Amino acid sequence: MRKWAGNPWAVLVTVSLGFFMTLLDLTIVNIAIPEMIDALGATLDQTLWVVSGYALVLAVLLITAGRLGDLWGQRRLFASGVVVFTLASVACGLAPNAGLLIAARGLQGLGAALLAPQTMALIVSVFPAQRRGTAMGIWGMVAGLATLSGPTLGGTLVSTVGWRWIFLVNVPIGVAALVMTYLVVPDVRGGRSHRFDLVGVLIATAALFCLAFGLQEGGRYDWGAGVWALLAAGVALVAGFLVHQRRKQDREPLVPFVLFRDRNFTVMTVLVALVSMAMIGLVLPFNLYLQSVLHMSALKAGLVLAPSSLVSMVTGPFAGRLSDRIGGKYLLMAGLSLYAAGMVAIALIAGPATPWYLFAPATAVTGLGIGCVVAPMSTEAMRHVEPRLAGAASGVNNTIRQIGSVIGAASVGALLQGRLAAELAAGATYGDAFLAALHVTAVLPIAALGIAVLLCLLVRNHTKQQPAPSTRSSAAPAASGA
């Protein structure tokens, strides 16, 4: 393996293994909720915390972990995250009761937060700018595959070897990623000492906790006064955090404002939130429809979603390579439009007794769309980011991705529940009521994608005929890796 040390493609495989685990665990658990309730004697509320506790810790700590990677070294943080995540997966798989399972899921969230921002940062460090799109395409393929295959893989494991294996399956992946980290990933760090903004970390953590908790748990607490007070506190803390960061810009801030001078990074930061909202806005209600209206098993529902995962996996690397050649602007517009078209088709096809195979073309179109989006979105966000700021940029990007998912889940969940209750109160059957709610709910992610397409008009397209930016951004990684 020594000959692979420092090889960019070997580094990409390593970080992709770690990243795959963290995203898989965002979606794989949902499918096992009924089995966990029965096996652990847990309440529904406790089991939902198994799902949301992981996402909450992950969202809260991403910015901090991204900056720590810049200060202490991305390889060190990545390896630490893999160790924590793998050990926490063992604890999840062996948990004897719901309380310990929730605690172990929180530790998983910590491990995921430590390693996730380092993946993009390491790709920026080892790949020159002109080849970064291809690398991001493969990274995006892994991200899409993990997110979309969670229900399929989870359904298979639950139906065959039991729910505990949705956690234990991470162990061999984690061990492989850790071994490869020390064999092939270079320890790229600057030669000067750094300062850590502890006050900024505390404010950011409190702000993100208030926002993420309020949005995730708002529906459970009927959006009462306490939830709105928590959200208001989160907004106030964000404002305080920005004021604090403005004063720290010349002393290694947690969020360097210089990142937002790059129009593409700013646009992509908004775009990643909209795309995350749209993805959860499709998967959540559609999965419920397949199981509660069409009465599919968890495994069969996962398989109906499989074409999206497969097409996305195949498309991602090609989209990344194409974004290196022609830029990401028009790929993004095409991919977002295809994803929206697939959503519209699914909403129109869905009926009280629709055969599963009729969904295959529409889900394939959504896979083609997301395959054309993930790589160019990541590449354009990071294209002109200096390697010394890559961790901070990745932390911001991943945090916004998570907040987008939380907002999407909260909005879609509230809209779905409200409309379903109204239809049932009007005397509709459950199937008809859910379909009516599904059609209304679909408007939200489709609207988010429409806004995203319009935002793409602001993107400054990169082509090979623009050598100056590529030269500047590729020189730093080459020097850093030397």
Side-chain angles (χ1 to χ4, degrees):
M1 290 290 292
R2 188 168 296 177
K3 68 179 181 179
W4 293 101
N7 182 284
W9 299 107
V11 173
L12 178 62
V13 170
T14 303
V15 300
S16 294
L17 281 174
F19 195 51
F20 178 85
M21 293 191 302
T22 66
L23 290 182
L24 184 68
D25 269 48
L26 281 170
T27 57
I28 196 173
V29 177
N30 295 288
I31 211 90
I33 286 177
E35 286 75 12
M36 286 190 288
I37 290 176
D38 292 339
L40 299 175
T43 65
L44 178 60
D45 189 63
Q46 286 176 316
T47 312
L48 291 174
W49 263 106
V50 173
V51 178
S52 60
Y54 173 79
L56 181 63
V57 175
L58 176 59
V60 165
L61 296 179
L62 278 167
I63 286 180
T64 300
R67 194 59 177 137
L68 284 175
D70 288 334
L71 303 182
W72 297 346
Q74 274 104 24
R75 187 179 74 170
R76 179 185 296 178
L77 266 290
F78 181 82
S80 300
V82 170
V83 170
V84 172
F85 190 90
T86 305
L87 292 177
S89 296
V90 175
C92 287
L94 301 178
N97 56 59
L100 288 176
L101 180 56
I102 292 168
R105 282 287 281 172
L107 282 177
Q108 268 194 321
L110 171 61
L114 290 174
L115 75 86
Q118 319 314 327
T119 59
M120 288 176 72
L122 284 166
I123 290 171
V124 169
S125 296
V126 300
F127 278 92
Q130 63 271 21
R131 286 164 50 194
R132 224 171 269 159
T134 304
M136 287 292 187
I138 296 173
W139 178 86
M141 173 197 75
V142 171
L145 179 64
T147 303
L148 298 172
S149 65
T152 306
L153 179 58
T156 303
L157 291 173
V158 169
S159 301
T160 53
V161 292
W163 68 267
R164 293 185 182 276
W165 282 93
I166 64 176
F167 302 113
L168 295 176
V169 73
N170 294 322
V171 176
I173 302 174
V175 170
L178 184 63
V179 171
M180 291 177 66
T181 297
Y182 286 104
L183 288 176
V184 304
V185 178
D187 188 9
V188 182
R189 278 185 280 176
R192 62 191 184 90
S193 60
H194 298 280
R195 285 176 281 188
F196 185 58
D197 182 10
L198 180 59
V199 174
V201 166
L202 293 175
I203 299 174
T205 301
L208 290 169
F209 175 81
C210 290
L211 292 173
F213 184 90
L215 290 168
Q216 278 187 177
E217 307 303 315
R220 198 176 306 175
Y221 295 102
D222 297 321
W223 297 100
V227 172
W228 288 109
L230 199 64
L231 292 173
V235 172
L237 285 167
V238 168
F241 175 74
L242 294 175
V243 171
H244 173 75
Q245 289 297 288
R246 184 179 180 183
R247 296 171 181 165
K248 298 280 292 184
Q249 288 303 301
D250 58 344
R251 289 171 289 168
E252 296 189 301
L254 201 60
V255 177
F257 288 175
V258 68
L259 292 171
F260 297 97
R261 293 178 186 171
D262 178 5
R263 182 196 295 178
N264 282 12
F265 180 84
T266 304
V267 172
M268 294 303 123
T269 299
V270 178
L271 207 65
V272 76
L274 292 170
V275 171
S276 296
M277 288 175 60
M279 288 182 72
I280 201 75
L282 169 66
V283 174
L284 179 62
F286 187 45
N287 194 33
L288 288 173
Y289 159 76
L290 293 174
Q291 294 190 63
S292 65
V293 177
L294 299 187
H295 306 293
M296 293 183 180
S297 65
L299 175 59
K300 190 170 182 180
L303 291 174
V304 171
L305 294 166
S308 184
S309 307
L310 295 173
V311 174
S312 173
M313 180 177 66
V314 172
T315 306
F318 293 103
R321 189 177 304 172
L322 197 58
S323 72
D324 282 337
R325 297 182 61 185
I326 67 171
K329 179 175 183 175
Y330 300 110
L331 270 175
L332 284 168
M333 295 179 76
L336 292 166
S337 300
L338 283 168
Y339 197 46
M343 281 191 182
V344 171
I346 287 172
L348 293 177
I349 292 169
T354 305
W356 66 267
Y357 52 83
L358 291 183
F359 291 110
T363 55
V365 170
T366 64
L368 180 62
I370 204 64
C372 290
V373 166
V374 174
M377 189 165 57
S378 303
T379 304
E380 296 305 325
M382 302 295 286
R383 190 179 294 279
H384 302 307
V385 172
E386 297 178 47
R388 67 182 180 86
L389 299 176
S394 180
V396 170
N397 190 275
N398 279 286
T399 299
I400 298 300
R401 183 195 307 272
Q402 283 301 112
I403 294 295
S405 295
V406 170
I407 293 172
S411 304
V412 168
L415 190 58
L416 188 66
Q417 284 183 320
R419 186 64 181 176
L420 184 60
E423 292 290 333
L424 289 172
T429 64
Y430 179 83
D432 290 338
F434 195 96
L435 282 170
L438 179 69
H439 292 148
V440 172
T441 304
V443 173
L444 188 64
I446 292 169
L449 291 173
I451 295 170
V453 171
L454 294 176
L455 274 175
C456 287
L457 296 173
L458 300 175
V459 174
R460 288 175 175 160
N461 205 34
H462 163 85
T463 66
K464 285 193 172 182
Q465 284 70 42
Q466 296 171 318
S470 299
T471 302
R472 284 196 301 270
S473 54
S474 62
S480 300

